[in-house]
Amino acid sequence: MTRWILHLDMDAFFASVEQLDNPQLAGKPVIVGGLGPRGVVATASYEARTFGVHSAMPMAKARRLCPHGVFLAPRFERYQQLSARIHSLVSQYSPLVEPVSLDEVFVDLTGTERLHGPPEQVAREIHSRIPEEVGLPCSVGLAPNKLLAKLASNAAKPGGLRVIRPEEVAGFLTPLPVEALWGIGPKTARKLASRGIYTVGDLQGVEASLLVSWFGPKLGEHLWRLARGLDDSPVVPLREAKSLSQELTLPEDVYRLEEIQAHLRGLTRQVWGRLRQAGLLARVVRVKLRWSDFSTHTRQLKLPEPTDHLGLLLEAARQLLARLLATREGRGVRLLGVGLAGLTPASFRPLHLFAPEEIDQLVWGAQAKYGPGALQLGEQGPHPPESPLPKRLQPSTKGEENHTGPAPN
Ligand SMILES: [Mg+2]
């Protein structure tokens, strides 16, 4: 049976939400991100993109390119709220819904035809219902797997709907540049280009054995499959997720510490938004960093208790970044990622999450760094005298990855 996977991607999500909530901003260049001198752009509206502004750009540069733009700080709680509405709308069509980020979701429509009609019709319905009912523009891709569905929604941007039927896969893929494929980063693309391979069509013409001799068995076989649009990865609902992560490939290497930290905070807030939305707590925080020489390192830290406390996650991520940056040696940052693992349902929230001294210290630290609104304590009452002694955030002793070799992308 043909699988049918839908990929829904909201267009310029944070900026579109700001335009929705303040109609005076409609049609204007809206730029959402850190407003401080070291801030970075999280999302730019399509009006702002015509000035050359794009996400992950230093805010100072965005202001130079688009001096008449409307510059706003992100409101993650609001984005999370609308993301949850989008999630519940698409959940009407399938139990298999996987949010990839606050503004992107995969829906497995395989075998839902009897209940909801043909997948193409469902795709059209979702594509029109999101703007009608949520008030936000979106792009939709429908294809036989996740790889192709994401490529389809990308091709449909902004505001479009693109279906790739099984018989259309080859024709769709052939003209694309190899970089369009998941997992082909600049390094692999350069290696391919040095052998005269620029498009997916070129890549299809290379024997599997040759790819394996160039890239090793794992990446070689992966590239062979990618070139043919083969991907059998499942759509995994958030409640079954083993981990949540958010990554950002920077358009250019970033050297300034403040800018690296700003990206890290943005990523942490986004992954926290998904954690909260899923009703989960995380015990393990990971930070992944790829240097300008493409070596990739991951550090992780185990928290004393599972948590969904933003301030704690920000502090843990900050500590991990500091450890990674200790090995910097003048290199720039190419990619940053924040991951949460050791996930448990929030209903199992431990009674005494942290010792009071520890909370105070964290609140103080977070507020000093991120402003007075950074951390808000819930309805926690006074702690009993037998509260455990404050534990420091301990780096976990096991499972620490340290890839020193070059990464495939
Ligand atoms: Mg989007």
Side-chain angles (χ1 to χ4, degrees):
M1 179 170 56
T2 302
R3 292 170 74 213
W4 282 110
I5 310 296
L6 181 143
H7 183 250
L8 167 71
D9 191 352
M10 304 304 294
D11 298 331
F13 184 52
F14 300 170
S16 300
V17 173
E18 299 304 333
Q19 290 173 324
L20 171 73
D21 288 350
N22 181 358
Q24 290 183 336
L25 299 179
K28 292 193 178 151
V30 174
I31 296 142
V32 180
L35 299 183
R38 311 292 185 192
V40 289
V41 175
T43 310
S45 72
Y46 277 85
E47 295 85 354
R49 291 181 199 191
T50 62
F51 292 89
V53 178
H54 56 74
S55 56
M57 172 182 277
M59 195 54 98
K61 188 172 178 188
R63 286 187 195 274
R64 277 200 304 276
L65 289 170
C66 189
H68 306 295
V70 181
F71 294 84
L72 300 168
R75 297 180 297 146
F76 285 98
E77 296 273 1
R78 175 66 174 145
Y79 308 148
Q80 193 186 320
Q81 191 181 31
L82 287 164
S83 180
R85 273 176 61 192
I86 292 160
H87 189 276
S88 79
L89 190 151
V90 296
S91 297
Q92 294 168 18
Y93 297 95
S94 169
L96 293 177
V97 172
E98 176 183 341
V100 204
S101 62
L102 284 176
D103 77 319
E104 262 182 68
V105 62
F106 284 109
V107 187
D108 191 342
L109 296 174
T110 314
T112 62
E113 181 147 3
R114 232 156 38 103
L115 269 172
H116 301 292
E120 287 195 36
Q121 184 191 313
V122 171
R124 280 195 297 275
E125 254 179 68
I126 289 175
H127 183 243
S128 60
R129 282 186 66 191
I130 298 280
E132 280 165 24
E133 296 176 29
V134 188
L136 294 168
C138 69
S139 300
V140 170
L142 179 71
N145 60 45
K146 288 167 87 173
L147 166 74
L148 292 164
K150 172 127 173 131
L151 288 170
S153 70
N154 222 11
K157 280 196 158 298
L161 164 68
R162 178 73 189 252
V163 180
I164 305 175
R165 297 170 195 93
E167 66 274 17
E168 296 166 341
V169 172
F172 176 84
L173 282 176
T174 313
L176 294 180
V178 287
E179 293 95 323
L181 298 174
W182 263 351
I184 298 196
K187 194 186 178 191
T188 307
R190 273 205 303 273
K191 215 164 159 181
L192 288 167
S194 74
R195 294 176 164 99
I197 298 155
Y198 301 95
T199 66
V200 179
D202 296 338
L203 189 58
Q204 285 169 356
V206 185
E207 300 251 1
S209 57
L210 203 50
L211 288 173
V212 167
S213 76
W214 293 344
F215 295 100
K218 207 174 159 190
L219 182 58
E221 194 191 317
H222 182 61
L223 290 175
W224 189 90
R225 289 176 55 81
L226 280 178
R228 283 149 189 83
L230 299 172
D231 168 34
D232 47 22
S233 57
V235 173
V236 182
L238 212 46
R239 61 179 179 277
E240 293 165 23
K242 297 270 183 291
S243 63
L244 299 173
S245 64
Q246 190 86 33
E247 286 187 6
L248 177 67
T249 302
L250 297 156
E252 52 213 40
D253 296 342
V254 175
Y255 291 87
R256 287 190 316 177
L257 176 64
E258 296 88 345
E259 202 179 316
I260 300 167
Q261 287 171 334
H263 283 302
L264 186 84
R265 289 195 295 274
L267 288 167
T268 309
R269 288 195 172 95
Q270 291 188 45
V271 79
W272 165 78
R274 290 164 59 206
L275 182 79
R276 290 284 297 266
Q277 196 176 318
L280 296 168
L281 304 175
R283 181 88 195 266
V284 174
V285 182
R286 293 189 185 122
V287 172
K288 174 176 168 183
L289 188 154
R290 179 164 302 146
W291 296 107
S292 43
D293 64 2
F294 291 99
S295 62
T296 304
H297 302 259
T298 307
R299 289 284 184 280
Q300 68 175 37
L301 188 144
K302 198 165 185 180
L303 299 164
E305 304 275 5
T307 186
D308 60 359
H309 223 293
L310 176 61
L312 279 171
L313 300 176
L314 284 166
E315 176 57 21
R318 190 195 63 78
Q319 288 188 20
L320 290 165
L321 179 69
R323 289 168 57 198
L324 285 161
L325 291 175
T327 64
R328 186 172 184 176
E329 292 160 359
R331 292 173 293 181
V333 174
R334 176 122 225 155
L335 173 146
L336 263 182
V338 175
L340 302 175
L343 304 178
T344 45
S347 48
F348 299 140
R349 188 189 298 269
L351 211 54
H352 305 301
L353 275 173
F354 294 97
E357 301 89 327
E358 191 174 10
I359 291 176
D360 288 346
Q361 199 186 343
L362 284 159
V363 171
W364 182 86
Q367 291 186 343
K369 278 200 177 57
Y370 311 115
L375 251 180
Q376 276 156 15
L377 287 182
E379 56 298 293
Q380 269 175 320
H383 287 252
E386 68 272 23
S387 278
L389 285 169
K391 287 181 234 166
R392 299 190 64 81
L393 300 175
Q394 293 286 351
S396 70
T397 49
K398 57 178 181 182
E400 184 163 303
E401 294 166 70
N402 190 4
H403 310 291
T404 47
N409 62 344

